[in-house]
Each structure stands twice: as C-alpha cells, then as structure tokens.
C-alpha cells in the first residue's frame, strides 16, 4: 500500500516524491525570500492561495510561505467533496443561532460553492469539477425519520430542496444494504483536490504572488505597523499577515493553535474497479457520507477507484497510525460494499481536519494578524470563499460576514495538544451506539 494521497499520483508530469512524501511541484517558483512584501501569508492551501490570488490581482506584493509544498496539508488529502451546509445540521443551526442567523450561515455555504465555481470557470481550471450531488445515508431507521424533519426544515426555513429515498428504493442511488434510506442534495459537487489546489497556486502566481515552498515559519512578531516573519531561510517583513494553516497551526502562532483542534481523517483508495461493479456501487457518482458521529465518507474517482474515508480513530494522526487505520477502513468498506471484499487497497493516507469548539468556521483578525480556518471537514469551497473574503478585508474593503469573528475565544486549558480527543471519541462512540 502506498502511504500517501492517491490524488498526488493523479497530477500530470513527474511522480510524487514518495521518499519525502510530498506532492508534485505545480510550478517553478523562486526559493529566495523577498526582504519585504505588502502581505505575507503562512500556508499554501486553499485559504492562503485564494487570498494571494485576490490580493495580487489588486496590485499588492504577496509572498506565500509554505513549510512543505503547495497543498501539502488538507488541501490535497481530502475526499474532494464540495458540500452544501455546515458541519452542524440545520436544526442545530436554528436552535443555536435562531432562524435569521441560521439562514445566513446556510446561505454562506451555498455562496461558497458559487464562488468556487466562479474561480474554476474564470481560471479555466481542469480539476474534474462536476455537480454530482451528495447522499446522506441513514445508519439507523431513526436517522431516516430525522431526515424527514430535516427535509421539512430545509424547505420551510432555508428554501432548500432535498429528496428522500426509502431503504426499499435506495439501490437506485447506493448499492448497499448497510443503510436505512437516503437524503439526496443535488447542489453539491466533486473535484480532484490536488489538481484544484495546484491550479489555484498557478492562478495566484499569474496574478503576481510569490510562493516559497519548503520554508517553515518559525515565529511571527509585530513592531509598530511591520510584521517580521522568521523562517527556516531567513526573515520577511510585511505590512499585513494572514495565517492560513488551519489544522496545521504550529507553535509559530500559539494563539491560533489554541483555537483550532486538529483531528485525524483517514482515507483509503482501491485499485481501479470494473465498470460493471462501479455501476452497482454508486450509479450516479454522488458524494456520500453517513449519519454517524464516527462517520464514513466515500466517492468514486474518475479512474474508477472507490475512495473511502472516516475518523478511524479519534486522534491526531501519527506516523504509525496510517496502516492500522487503513485496515479498519478496509473492513468498514467491505461491510458497506461486500462486493469489494476481493478489491485490493492501493493507497492509504491521513490528514488533519481543523475543528473549532462550536464546530463553526471562522475568519477575522486576532492580535493584529488575519486568519481563517476551522472548516470541520467542509473546507474546499468554504476555505476558498473565506480566503477571498478576508483578502478583501485586508485590501481595505468594509466586508462584514456572519463567520467573521475578531473576538474568537481560545479553548480553555488547550494549548495545541488535543488531550481531550480520546474523551470526545468515547462520547461520540457512545452517542452512535445509543442513537
């Protein structure tokens, strides 16, 4: 099994750097640091690159600092699912925020997909984007009954239509007996995340941004109106700073570490499957996830592989967990699709998803630096969207948004090491068993 993302090998040209476990280089870029820039951005994922593209198009000098290569983190490790909604379900949004604010937040998720599609079209990206729709699979009969309530709430409060498919009819959408009915949302989409992040980097470069790879940031400090960013290759001074590290926030920005919790997500990919088998698994090529807290998510790729992911363990990934979690996921995959019992797994990998305490993404300004993150597994469109919005604010626009939070509070007793994840994992496992 190859212990790096399948997506890296789907990129054109040279193979992935398997010795150093790095994605392919998308573009030739200088390695020398500029002495100064108008804006420094830490992190060359969706958030940072979308911001760099917007700011550079406006005439700012922008340097993006990346500890690995472009898209090394979640931006090339995720499942490529472009989903409507937030991590929190609609009923929870209404209960927590009231109907008016809940509508704004749900609308933001739809706006983020529109923004993503606009960038893909404007930059003529070839990233396998398509509107596939998504399925939510009911893990228990009671979950399907909850879908009925959610369907009504989405229609009457959010003006958003979803369809239900009973367990008796679900094989028209999903070739599995493991579930008890489906909810279908036609608005969601799919893409190849590594191709998208590489082409977003290309768009930022064409706009004038510099991307300096393999340059970890050691510390950031501010004196007056000037930021000094110390890296492994020297220092850069900038007038504004955006920290776009999400689930990979480091000790260079301890204040952001205290607000984002990295949780491991694990993915496997099979070898290419026979066309007749593909037709029985997910016949309409939807994006799929189930209704558990310890959820699974899965999809088909353009070359007929099944990607199957989830929180195989509720912890931050370590060097020795990938193979163990891949075995767990393969067992779970075969439980969902027994016909894949003889299908080898060719890839297995992991990455960090960043959660906030209330499971809502955030963007804004803290301690003088701009930030965006906490996408809770819904980051492809939202990271692109918030990265662009925060860039507009950095450029001087009066941008207001329900996800902007300049008072984003740290998690009490948390300093970057998520000691509470085993407790949270046990709680969610209990909830899955009880409900």
């Amino acid at each position: 099994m190859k212990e790096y993302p399948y997506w890296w090998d789907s990129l054109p040209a040279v193979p992935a750097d398997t010795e150093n476990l790095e994605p392919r280089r998308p573009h030739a870029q200088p390695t020398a640091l500029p002495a100064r820039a108008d804006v420094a951005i830490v992190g060359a994922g969706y958030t940072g690159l979308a911001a760099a593209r917007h700011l550079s198009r406006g005439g700012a000098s922008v340097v993006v600092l990346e500890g690995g290569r472009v898209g090394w983190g979640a931006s090339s490790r995720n499942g490529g699912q472009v989903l409507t909604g937030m991590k929190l379900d609609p009923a929870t949004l209404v209960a927590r925020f009231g109907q008016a604010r809940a509508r704004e937040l749900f609308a933001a998720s739809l706006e983020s997909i529109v923004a993503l599609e606009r960038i893909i079209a404007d930059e003529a990206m070839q990233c396998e984007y398509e509107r596939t729709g998504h399925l939510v699979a009911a893990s228990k009969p009671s979950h399907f009954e909850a879908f009925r309530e959610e369907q009504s709430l989405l229609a009457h409060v959010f003006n958003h239509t979803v369809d239900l498919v009973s367990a008796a009819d679900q094989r028209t959408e999903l070739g599995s007996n493991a579930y008890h009915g489906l909810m279908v949302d036609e608005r969601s989409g799919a893409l190849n995340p590594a191709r998208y992040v590489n082409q977003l980097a290309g768009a930022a470069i064409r706009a004038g941004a510099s991307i300096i790879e393999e340059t970890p940031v050691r510390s950031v400090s501010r004196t007056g109106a000037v930021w000094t960013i110390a890296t492994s290759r020297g220092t850069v001074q900038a007038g504004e700073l955006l920290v776009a590290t999400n689930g990979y926030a480091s000790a260079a920005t301890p204040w952001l570490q205290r607000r984002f919790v990295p949780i491991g997500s694990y993915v496997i990919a099979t070898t290419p499957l026979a066309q007749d088998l593909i037709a029985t698994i997910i016949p309409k090529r939807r994006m799929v996830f189930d209704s558990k807290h310890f959820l699974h998510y899965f999809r088909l790729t353009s070359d007929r592989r099944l990607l199957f992911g989830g929180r195989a363990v509720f912890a931050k990934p370590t060097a020795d967990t990938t193979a163990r979690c891949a075995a767990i996921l393969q067992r779970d995959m075969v439980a969902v699709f027994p016909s894949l019992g003889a299908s080898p797994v060719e890839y297995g990998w992991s990455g960090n998803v960043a959660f906030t305490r209330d499971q809502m993404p955030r963007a804004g300004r803290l301690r003088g630096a701009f930030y965006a993150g906490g996408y809770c597994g819904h980051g492809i469109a939202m990271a692109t969207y918030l990265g662009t919005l925060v860039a507009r604010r950095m450029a001087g626009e009066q941008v207001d948004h329900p996800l902007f939070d300049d008072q984003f509070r740290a998690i009490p007793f948390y300093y970057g090491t998520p000691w509470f994840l085993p407790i949270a994992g046990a709680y969610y496992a209990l909830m899955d068993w009880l409900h």
Side-chain angles (χ1 to χ4, degrees):
M1 186 182 70
K2 301 173 183 177
E3 293 191 13
Y4 61 88
Y6 152 75
W7 304 115
W8 293 1
D9 280 348
S10 73
L11 296 172
V14 297
D17 183 346
T18 55
E19 181 179 351
N20 297 311
L21 291 185
E22 295 280 9
R24 301 166 183 171
R25 293 186 183 279
H27 305 280
Q29 277 285 284
T31 56
L33 291 176
R36 182 174 175 81
D38 295 328
V39 178
I41 296 174
V42 184
Y46 305 140
T47 306
L49 294 172
R53 172 183 177 270
H54 182 85
L55 289 163
S56 297
R57 283 160 63 104
S61 60
V62 179
V63 58
V64 182
L65 304 167
E66 168 56 47
R69 295 186 186 170
V70 161
W72 178 86
S75 294
S76 67
R77 297 171 183 270
N78 64 77
Q81 299 190 342
V82 181
L83 304 175
T84 62
M86 299 287 182
K87 174 64 176 175
L88 297 180
D89 62 84
T92 303
L93 287 175
V94 171
R96 185 175 296 179
F97 301 106
Q99 286 192 9
R101 179 50 65 95
R103 275 194 296 269
E104 289 183 40
L105 293 168
F106 190 86
S109 78
L110 303 182
E111 291 164 9
S112 73
I113 296 176
V114 172
L116 173 75
E117 292 174 338
R118 185 180 301 119
I119 288 178
I120 289 172
D122 288 350
E123 300 291 349
M125 293 182 178
Q126 301 299 314
C127 59
E128 301 174 13
Y129 180 75
E130 57 180 325
R131 284 197 186 183
T132 59
H134 80 254
L135 308 175
V136 189
S139 298
K140 295 183 179 181
S142 60
H143 295 184
F144 186 72
E145 293 308 310
F147 288 173
R148 297 187 190 279
E149 298 178 8
E150 184 168 333
Q151 180 188 42
S152 177
L153 182 66
L154 282 167
H156 293 101
V157 175
F158 298 92
N159 193 31
H160 186 75
T161 300
V162 296
D163 297 314
L164 301 185
V165 180
S166 69
D169 297 325
Q170 71 183 13
R171 282 190 169 268
T172 61
E173 291 279 1
L174 189 64
S176 175
N177 293 324
Y179 300 109
H180 304 272
L182 310 170
M183 183 163 59
V184 185
D185 189 329
E186 298 281 0
R187 184 62 188 86
S188 295
L191 51 64
N192 179 318
R195 288 194 175 196
Y196 172 59
V197 74
N198 279 7
Q199 290 176 50
L200 188 59
I205 291 167
R206 287 193 299 273
S210 294
I211 302 173
I212 311 297
E213 297 179 292
E214 298 178 338
T215 306
V217 171
R218 305 301 191 197
S219 66
V220 300
S221 59
R222 192 183 189 194
T223 303
V226 177
W227 283 97
T228 299
I229 301 93
T231 79
S232 60
R233 301 190 184 192
T235 61
V236 181
Q237 290 190 326
E240 297 287 4
L241 173 66
L242 169 60
V243 184
T245 46
N246 199 38
Y248 295 85
S250 72
T253 54
W255 48 272
L256 199 58
Q257 269 192 315
R258 295 200 60 200
R259 289 158 172 84
F260 293 154
V261 180
I263 296 178
S265 190
Y266 299 83
V267 192
I268 57 174
T270 66
T271 55
L273 304 173
Q275 188 63 50
D276 57 346
L277 183 56
I278 285 289
T280 67
I281 293 176
I282 312 174
K284 298 179 183 177
R285 303 185 64 85
R286 310 279 198 190
M287 303 294 98
V288 189
F289 59 94
D290 65 34
S291 58
K292 298 192 298 290
H293 290 95
F294 262 107
L295 62 79
H296 292 120
Y297 55 91
F298 41 96
R299 62 164 296 183
L300 296 170
T301 65
S302 61
D303 61 350
R304 307 193 319 275
R305 301 171 189 271
L306 184 75
L307 261 65
F308 192 95
R311 319 250 188 277
V313 296
F314 212 78
K316 185 176 179 179
T318 60
D320 63 346
T321 57
T322 298
R324 178 165 60 93
C325 290
I328 293 171
L329 288 175
Q330 185 172 21
R331 178 201 67 196
D332 294 348
M333 177 185 72
V334 173
V336 174
F337 299 112
S339 59
L340 298 184
S343 299
V345 168
E346 187 173 352
Y347 295 86
W349 70 94
S350 64
N352 290 346
V353 177
F355 273 69
T356 58
R357 183 166 56 165
D358 64 358
Q359 299 185 52
M360 292 295 293
R362 295 287 203 293
R365 193 173 196 177
L366 291 171
R367 303 193 179 191
F370 290 90
Y371 78 95
Y375 306 116
C376 305
H378 284 241
I380 297 176
M382 186 58 69
T384 303
Y385 178 62
L386 285 185
T388 302
L389 283 183
V390 80
R392 288 172 53 192
R393 184 177 167 191
M394 294 174 76
E397 290 187 47
Q398 297 297 313
V399 180
D400 190 22
H401 194 274
L403 293 174
F404 278 10
D405 187 356
D406 293 349
Q407 308 297 323
F408 186 22
R409 296 173 63 184
I411 300 171
F413 310 111
Y414 171 58
Y415 298 93
T417 300
W419 53 268
F420 44 77
L421 286 185
I423 300 170
Y427 170 78
Y428 288 129
L430 178 62
M431 290 298 100
D432 283 337
W433 181 70
L434 291 174
H435 303 287

